[in-house]
Amino acid sequence: MPDPLVLPKAPEGCIKITSWNVSGLNASLKKGFKTYIKAEDADVICLQEHKVNQPLMNLVDPKVYPFSWWGIEKTKGYAGVVVFSKITPINVTAGLPTHPDPDCTKGRIVTLEYPTCFVLGCYVPNAGQNLIRLKERMVWDVAMKEWLLRLKAKGKHIIWTGDLNVCHKPIDLRNPSTNTRSAGFTDEERGGFSAILNEADLVDTFRETQGESEDASGQYSYFSYRFQCRIKGIGWRLDYFVTDRELYKERVVESVIREECYGASDHVPVVLVLKGTL
């Protein structure tokens, strides 16, 4: 992680949300985690894959972020989500209520209800090596779609963020032709994500903003530590901000990948800036 690190502040009258797969908080803390958190100064911080078995103290200043929620995976040292917020939500829903086994999802997703919107911090299950968990992933996608539709029916905006473990389109990874049966880029996973976007009328804010021209290629949020992937530019865009179409059109100021903030994880953060309040 670069240090010192200077990042742009949110414009006046705007809210900033950051999402980051930290790939293990204990390791990330030794590599610049706090440098990024301080520099970004987001209003809401959504972290994935913290891999801890109990909440860690002193990650953020509790006076700045009075609200926190930890989702702990049953399997020790695995998965996990956490959210820190300067604004206390109205309500919190742990896990994915529409899943056949909701208890197994509490280390994967949390839904925060605010006055104008729902913010979902999410770590979507990976289909696994040799696609051993692809069927479970497809069950998740159906349940996720149903949950988003339920929330949308309540009349509030949707902000779904996190490591969604899918490259939706060929432009979202460096080598699409050789990865069609790799976890995250199978037809099944891409189709599941398309179904969610289409049926719930949601927008992938980064891709909607950047488009799909050649100039928009090469922007990724994950680089494997193996084979010098970061240096070679061999990456995947697995981390997203997905919103309802109305919010995107009326309130999204920017949706960006913090490509320069690499080193404390094999992922880099993604950031959404919105007009108005949550």
Side-chain angles (χ1 to χ4, degrees):
M1 183 68 64
D3 190 6
L5 177 64
V6 178
L7 297 171
K9 301 297 182 183
E12 186 174 351
C14 292
I15 289 285
K16 185 197 285 187
I17 306 173
T18 185
S19 177
W20 189 17
N21 179 324
V22 293
S23 191
L25 261 175
N26 286 320
S28 186
L29 279 165
K30 300 173 184 177
K31 301 176 183 177
F33 171 85
K34 289 188 176 182
T35 298
Y36 170 72
I37 294 299
K38 182 178 179 180
E40 193 66 81
D41 190 26
D43 296 285
V44 180
I45 302 167
C46 300
L47 305 179
Q48 304 90 45
E49 205 176 0
H50 59 61
K51 297 184 181 181
V52 299
N53 305 320
Q54 60 185 14
L56 299 183
M57 305 301 292
N58 302 318
L59 282 180
V60 299
D61 185 344
K63 294 180 181 178
V64 178
Y65 296 96
F67 173 83
S68 64
W69 184 92
W70 289 80
I72 308 292
E73 183 72 22
K74 290 181 179 179
T75 305
K76 290 186 177 182
Y78 187 70
V81 293
V82 59
V83 177
F84 301 100
S85 179
K86 294 180 181 180
I87 308 122
T88 300
I90 298 168
N91 189 45
V92 178
T93 302
L96 187 55
T98 49
H99 194 278
D101 184 7
D103 283 345
C104 80
T105 68
K106 291 184 178 178
R108 292 283 181 178
I109 182 170
V110 59
T111 302
L112 309 181
E113 180 181 3
Y114 291 98
T116 72
C117 64
F118 292 99
V119 176
L120 295 83
C122 188
Y123 179 37
V124 171
N126 188 287
Q129 189 171 6
N130 298 321
L131 305 178
I132 192 171
R133 294 188 298 274
L134 183 58
K135 288 184 179 179
E136 290 89 337
R137 168 59 183 271
M138 295 297 94
V139 170
W140 173 282
D141 283 354
V142 172
M144 191 75 235
K145 180 178 65 178
E146 291 304 313
W147 181 233
L148 288 163
L149 287 169
R150 281 192 196 181
L151 294 177
K152 198 171 182 188
K154 295 179 183 292
K156 293 189 176 184
H157 294 301
I158 300 292
I159 302 171
W160 176 31
T161 187
D163 179 354
L164 304 189
N165 256 320
V166 65
C167 284
H168 188 211
K169 299 184 177 181
I171 194 174
D172 293 322
L173 72 166
R174 170 70 177 272
N175 296 315
S177 62
T178 57
N179 281 290
T180 56
R181 295 310 292 168
S182 297
F185 195 60
T186 63
D187 289 343
E188 294 91 333
E189 292 163 291
R190 296 168 64 201
F193 190 62
S194 290
I196 293 172
L197 297 184
N198 294 336
E199 294 184 37
D201 195 24
L202 302 177
V203 174
D204 169 1
T205 59
F206 181 84
R207 184 56 59 214
E208 193 79 8
T209 301
Q210 297 293 321
E212 297 182 47
S213 70
E214 187 174 343
D215 290 341
S217 65
Q219 300 183 78
Y220 311 122
S221 63
Y222 165 76
F223 300 87
S224 172
Y225 285 136
R226 303 172 66 191
F227 311 121
Q228 297 183 310
C229 285
R230 169 73 172 183
I231 294 172
K232 296 175 182 176
I234 302 172
W236 297 56
R237 189 173 72 94
L238 300 174
D239 304 86
Y240 292 74
F241 275 97
V242 173
T243 72
D244 61 275
R245 196 167 297 278
E246 181 182 356
L247 182 76
Y248 175 76
K249 289 181 178 179
E250 297 182 359
R251 294 181 54 188
V252 170
V253 176
E254 67 174 353
S255 181
V256 298
I257 299 173
R258 291 280 191 243
E259 295 178 342
E260 69 272 37
C261 299
Y262 184 77
S265 169
D266 49 7
H267 291 247
V268 294
V270 294
V271 174
L272 185 74
V273 178
L274 299 171
K275 297 175 186 176
T277 64
L278 296 175

